[in-house]
Amino acid sequence: MPRPRQPVLTRERIVAAALALIDADGLGAFSTRRLAAALGVRGPSLYNHFASREAILDAVADSVTAAVDTGAFARHDWREALRRWAWSYRAALTAHPNVVPYLAQGPGRRPAALAMADAVYGALVKAGWPPARATHVGAAMRYFVAGSALGSFARGFVEDPELYAAHYPHLGQAHRLAEHQRSVDEGAFALGLDALLDGIAAEHRRVLAVEPPGTNG
């Protein structure tokens, strides 16, 4: 009988397999050797599609960023758009937290990441933010979202009531946090996002009072 044909190796298959490995074992354990084994090919085959390990990681990171919805910037005012984008951004990152440290290095040359940065920055400048301040706002939002996706606050506490009862009286219910991971983590994100947007909106009013739109010529 003829041997089953190996599925055609494509960039999309390589990226999907690499993301699955990183999700399972983390960035530190990722290698082209392990990736090739997972795909059932020899290592050099990967280099027909990607020049290096870093190029594969760039493509993986960009595939995560591509899931972020930036459409709100075309449909809503800048503040509501930032809110909707932040939630979409968080959803994409929390689905793949092991990729977040690589994404946090910045967009580099990644198309989806650059398109997202362009959408955010363009909307802020259009709303009257001076270019430098628009950069600060975008960076602050990215710091907040990426930080929230690095790990679960609720799952950071062990489920051992005796530990807290014996030594940390103010943490008497900390062992129950993991039971309520979603409500704790999403509630904290919502609170922080509201506070951040309130502060940014106050700065926007101050900036417009000092330098109304159109005064730069």
Side-chain angles (χ1 to χ4, degrees):
M1 293 179 61
R3 296 178 62 184
R5 293 186 62 185
Q6 183 81 5
V8 175
L9 191 63
T10 63
R11 288 177 63 93
E12 291 74 19
R13 278 193 67 216
I14 293 171
V15 168
L19 181 57
L21 285 175
I22 294 168
D23 283 345
D25 301 317
L27 276 170
F30 177 74
S31 68
T32 53
R33 179 185 60 78
R34 292 191 66 209
L35 177 58
L39 288 164
V41 300
R42 294 182 179 275
S45 300
L46 301 175
Y47 297 109
N48 293 327
H49 301 274
F50 292 97
S52 64
R53 174 181 181 274
E54 288 66 34
I56 295 172
L57 289 175
D58 269 349
V60 168
D62 219 35
S63 74
V64 173
T65 304
V68 181
D69 183 5
T70 60
F73 291 104
R75 301 189 301 269
H76 298 277
D77 67 87
W78 69 268
R79 176 172 174 160
E80 180 61 20
L82 282 180
R83 181 189 306 282
R84 291 172 182 251
W85 166 66
W87 278 105
S88 180
Y89 195 11
R90 179 182 182 273
L93 298 190
T94 54
H96 306 284
N98 289 341
V99 181
V100 174
Y102 193 85
L103 280 166
Q105 297 174 20
R109 295 178 178 274
R110 300 193 296 273
L114 288 170
M116 183 174 76
D118 185 68
V120 175
Y121 178 77
L124 292 171
V125 171
K126 184 178 179 180
W129 285 97
R133 264 340 223 172
T135 300
H136 296 160
V137 172
M141 293 292 296
R142 191 168 69 87
Y143 295 152
F144 175 68
V145 176
S148 77
L150 283 173
S152 165
F153 177 84
R155 290 201 172 277
F157 294 85
V158 299
E159 298 180 30
D160 181 359
E162 293 183 4
L163 168 67
Y164 305 109
H167 303 289
Y168 310 102
H170 300 297
L171 300 179
Q173 298 299 310
H175 65 283
R176 300 187 58 203
L177 287 173
E179 300 173 22
H180 307 283
Q181 177 189 352
R182 181 171 180 176
S183 63
V184 171
D185 292 347
E186 290 190 357
F189 183 79
L191 175 65
L193 182 58
D194 282 346
L196 181 58
L197 290 175
D198 284 347
I200 291 173
E203 174 66 7
H204 188 244
R205 291 191 293 271
R206 189 194 69 78
V207 166
L208 292 187
V210 172
E211 191 174 342
T215 57
N216 286 326

